Amino acid sequence: MRAALITTARLILEPLSVSHAAEMVRVRSGTVVYRYTGGAAPTEEELTGRYAVQAVGVSPDGREAWLNWIIRENGAAVGFVQASVALHVPGQGQEPTAYVAWVVGESFQGRGLATEAASGLLGWLRPRLDGPIAAFIHPDNHASAAVARKIGLVASGQLNGDGEERWDNGIDLVADGI
């Protein structure tokens, strides 16, 4: 599974490359974006290193597909979406699970871009995946919870080790090992 160009009514989701680092530093600057995820805005050097690893498209052990896109509106980068897909392991009887995330830069928030981009991502992902789709969202991140609801994910009540709640598409979680 490899990231491919995705288009929506207003957006282009462009597969990630190392060359995106310089423009994404500006998009990822600020503090609001990190209120719920922790950390701080990355430097261009940090993004270049991160994108070099992510753009390969697969984890070093081959167990996950790493799918990452830059969100573009009118040609300008405004955020990113991603899906980490736990690949099927023969003999384990589990379908692949996709963990999705979305981030829109502070100056572009409040216009439905995250919802549109996440919807585009799920529209591309669903025909390629039979298993669960999930996102982990901090309980106080009401904007991301609203996006999750709009794209058809439901709060599960299950928290991970970071205190984030799993939102999923309702596929049998027992089969997914949850």
Side-chain angles (χ1 to χ4, degrees):
M1 187 178 296
R2 300 283 302 171
L5 190 71
I6 300 170
T7 58
T8 70
R10 295 181 293 171
L11 306 173
I12 294 175
L13 308 183
E14 183 177 281
L16 179 73
S17 75
V18 175
S19 65
H20 292 119
E23 68 181 320
M24 287 302 291
V25 167
R26 290 184 300 281
V27 173
R28 297 181 67 160
S29 66
T31 58
V32 173
V33 173
Y34 305 97
R35 180 181 310 147
Y36 305 111
T37 62
T43 66
E44 184 175 343
E45 290 173 277
E46 290 168 332
L47 277 185
T48 298
R50 185 178 306 163
Y51 289 178
V53 172
Q54 291 175 336
V56 170
V58 66
S59 64
D61 64 7
R63 292 182 181 214
E64 286 186 323
W66 291 343
L67 309 169
N68 296 274
W69 291 263
I70 300 302
I71 304 168
R72 291 194 180 281
E73 180 187 39
N74 299 321
V78 298
F80 68 91
V81 291
Q82 62 187 37
S84 296
V85 180
L87 299 173
H88 176 72
V89 179
Q92 289 191 0
Q94 295 179 353
E95 294 298 328
T97 300
Y99 296 98
V100 297
W102 48 86
V103 173
V104 170
E106 289 177 34
S107 60
F108 306 104
Q109 293 177 3
R111 299 186 298 126
L113 299 178
T115 300
E116 186 172 335
S119 292
L121 168 60
L122 266 59
W124 181 88
L125 193 58
R126 282 186 176 120
R128 293 164 176 80
L129 180 77
D130 290 330
I133 296 172
F136 286 97
I137 300 171
H138 189 282
D140 295 332
N141 190 341
H142 303 294
S144 278
V147 170
R149 271 191 295 281
K150 289 175 185 173
I151 64 172
L153 300 182
V154 177
S156 72
Q158 298 172 338
L159 301 180
N160 67 11
D162 294 327
E164 297 171 321
E165 184 173 13
R166 179 184 168 118
W167 289 66
D168 58 61
N169 63 341
I171 290 181
D172 184 10
L173 299 179
V174 174
D176 189 34
I178 300 298

